[in-house]
Amino acid sequence: MHQPGTLYIVSTPIGNLEDITLRALNILKSVDIIACEDTRHSLKLLNHYEIKNRLISYHSHNEKNSSSGIVKLLKEGKNVALISDGGTPLISDPGYSVVGECRMEGITVTAIPGATALIPLLCMSGFRTDSFFFAGFLSCKGGKRRKDLEAYKSIEASLIFYESPHRIEKFITDIAAIYPDKQICVGKEISKINEKTYIGTPEEALKMLSTDKIAGEYAVIIANY
């Protein structure tokens, strides 16, 4: 009977390719298989560091079947690294399904710390860092999104969200309606060449955004305290 392998949750850069740890690179080079959200996207990073390991696809659309496949490989003694398109896997990305299955099967899971957008923006914001709440992406449906924003008013902390470029202005407009007097920090393309941060009231942030090209991924923090 094979000794089960280990599942490594490996953080990868969200922009700057240098934002990867030596430990992460060593793990990616040493495992038998790397499970990626998008193999084509991940090849840019892996080719940059001359990592030639076998790749398999693991994303939100095939998560259930792929989780079972990964667990099978681990039971066969293979070591597997799970990476996302950027940042820390499972943080607003797929992955918790396979980790849950591994835990139920007694398979070792370990995480390699690294890049994520929410912590750098929180550090740059000047807002409270001792108490924060991460909600990830809210619903694309306006009514549900506003309902959730309303519910989070009871949490006295720095409230952190992710948002896509085509919804960022609608999202901040909703924040303006519910948190009109709070300071917010909007981060655009954290760690990338075009990184920018905007701090002010929601209305002020909207004005600042209107003068800039809307592109890339966004993170938003509300100083709700």
Side-chain angles (χ1 to χ4, degrees):
M1 185 175 178
H2 292 285
Q3 177 72 24
T6 297
L7 177 68
Y8 295 93
I9 311 300
V10 181
S11 300
T12 56
I14 57 175
N16 191 317
L17 290 181
E18 294 180 359
D19 290 338
I20 189 165
T21 67
L22 294 174
R23 184 183 175 204
L25 289 174
N26 287 333
I27 292 295
L28 291 174
K29 290 174 182 177
S30 67
V31 294
D32 301 291
I33 297 158
I34 301 172
C36 316
E37 267 191 278
D38 184 333
T39 55
R40 295 165 300 178
H41 182 92
S42 295
L43 275 172
K44 297 175 186 176
L45 172 71
L46 300 174
N47 287 339
H48 180 79
Y49 287 105
E50 299 182 348
I51 298 170
K52 306 295 184 183
N53 305 51
R54 176 187 167 194
L55 305 183
I56 61 174
S57 178
Y58 181 91
H59 50 75
S60 57
H61 300 296
N62 72 352
E63 190 166 3
K64 187 174 181 180
N65 290 335
S66 292
S67 294
S68 299
I70 290 173
V71 169
K72 183 174 182 291
L73 290 166
L74 290 160
K75 284 183 171 180
E76 292 172 357
K78 304 293 187 185
N79 290 319
V80 180
L82 176 68
I83 63 176
S84 66
D85 284 347
T88 301
L90 283 77
I91 305 301
S92 291
D93 277 325
Y96 74 88
S97 176
V98 68
V99 172
E101 286 195 39
C102 286
R103 290 300 186 193
M104 287 190 290
E105 295 288 345
I107 294 168
T108 300
V109 179
T110 189
I112 315 304
T116 186
L118 69 101
I119 297 300
L121 185 63
L122 181 61
C123 293
M124 290 188 285
S125 69
F127 297 167
R128 281 185 64 174
T129 56
D130 63 323
S131 179
F132 61 90
F133 177 84
F134 176 62
F137 288 94
L138 296 189
S139 175
C140 60
K141 297 178 180 178
K144 176 68 165 63
R145 185 171 61 243
R146 288 187 289 274
K147 182 179 178 182
D148 288 342
L149 282 170
E150 189 70 45
Y152 294 141
K153 287 178 75 174
S154 63
I155 302 174
E156 293 187 7
S158 296
L159 309 179
I160 309 175
F161 308 88
Y162 285 166
E163 191 52 276
S164 62
H166 62 278
R167 287 200 304 264
I168 185 64
E169 290 178 298
K170 289 181 180 178
F171 182 50
I172 296 177
T173 299
D174 290 340
I175 293 173
I178 298 166
Y179 300 84
D181 300 320
K182 298 293 185 183
Q183 289 285 296
I184 72 169
C185 178
V186 181
K188 170 187 175 182
E189 300 206 273
I190 300 300
S191 89
K192 300 181 178 68
I193 294 173
N194 296 316
E195 174 184 290
K196 286 187 179 179
T197 56
Y198 310 93
I199 296 180
T201 65
E203 289 292 347
E204 288 169 342
L206 278 172
K207 288 179 183 177
M208 286 184 271
L209 276 172
S210 69
T211 65
D212 190 20
K213 180 181 179 181
I214 302 295
E217 297 300 320
Y218 289 83
V220 180
I221 307 177
I222 305 171
N224 190 43
Y225 49 85

